[in-house]
Amino acid sequence: MDKKDNLDQTLNLGTEIRLSETLKKHIKIGTIKTIRDLRKLMNGVKYNFQFCIGREKGWFGDDKFDFPEAEAKYREAFNTVLDGGLSDDEYDSVDEEGIKELDSLLTRFL
């Protein structure tokens, strides 16, 4: 293990992910508390992040679902597991590959 890895571990940082051409973030190392908090937060969210983006509250098939609320929960979850969270500008700048990365991010904790 090199010095950078030791420092990252000391700072509770895991791997770095790419969210856009100019935006990279470190994932925090998960703890039992983080897992519990995320499971509580994401309880009832049935759809993946990418599917929830920009949809209105309403019916989807036979399911009445609040997509803006689900997107807000995802945003809160990302802010919990990413070092420094995501500012509004950073969140809005996430590109297609970054959306895919975020979509799979929480499965590491859940």
Side-chain angles (χ1 to χ4, degrees), residues 1-106:
M1 188 178 302
D2 65 14
K3 289 180 184 180
K4 183 188 181 310
D5 289 338
N6 277 337
L7 179 61
D8 284 352
Q9 200 167 39
T10 301
L11 296 173
N12 201 28
L13 299 177
T15 57
E16 183 178 71
I17 59 172
R18 179 208 170 276
L19 299 175
S20 73
E21 192 68 35
T22 58
L23 178 61
K24 294 180 182 173
K25 291 282 185 172
H26 276 95
I27 302 169
K28 294 178 184 175
I29 294 173
T31 63
I32 290 172
K33 180 181 182 340
T34 303
I35 292 168
R36 280 188 192 131
D37 290 348
L38 288 175
R39 286 184 176 164
K40 184 177 179 182
L41 174 68
M42 300 309 293
N43 186 32
V45 177
K46 313 175 195 187
Y47 301 101
N48 67 16
F49 171 62
Q50 185 171 358
F51 189 80
C52 293
I53 298 171
R55 293 187 185 269
E56 298 296 321
K57 181 178 181 178
W59 291 91
F60 185 75
D62 293 335
D63 187 25
K64 187 172 184 177
F65 196 74
D66 189 339
F67 289 102
E69 179 183 314
E71 185 178 353
K73 285 183 176 187
Y74 273 111
R75 176 94 187 263
E76 186 177 341
F78 299 146
N79 285 336
T80 301
V81 300
L82 293 174
D83 184 46
L86 289 170
S87 70
D88 291 341
D89 288 338
E90 288 173 333
Y91 182 77
D92 288 339
S93 74
V94 174
D95 64 21
E96 187 175 345
E97 291 303 313
I99 291 170
K100 290 177 187 175
E101 188 71 48
L102 288 175
D103 234 350
S104 67
L105 174 62
L106 295 183

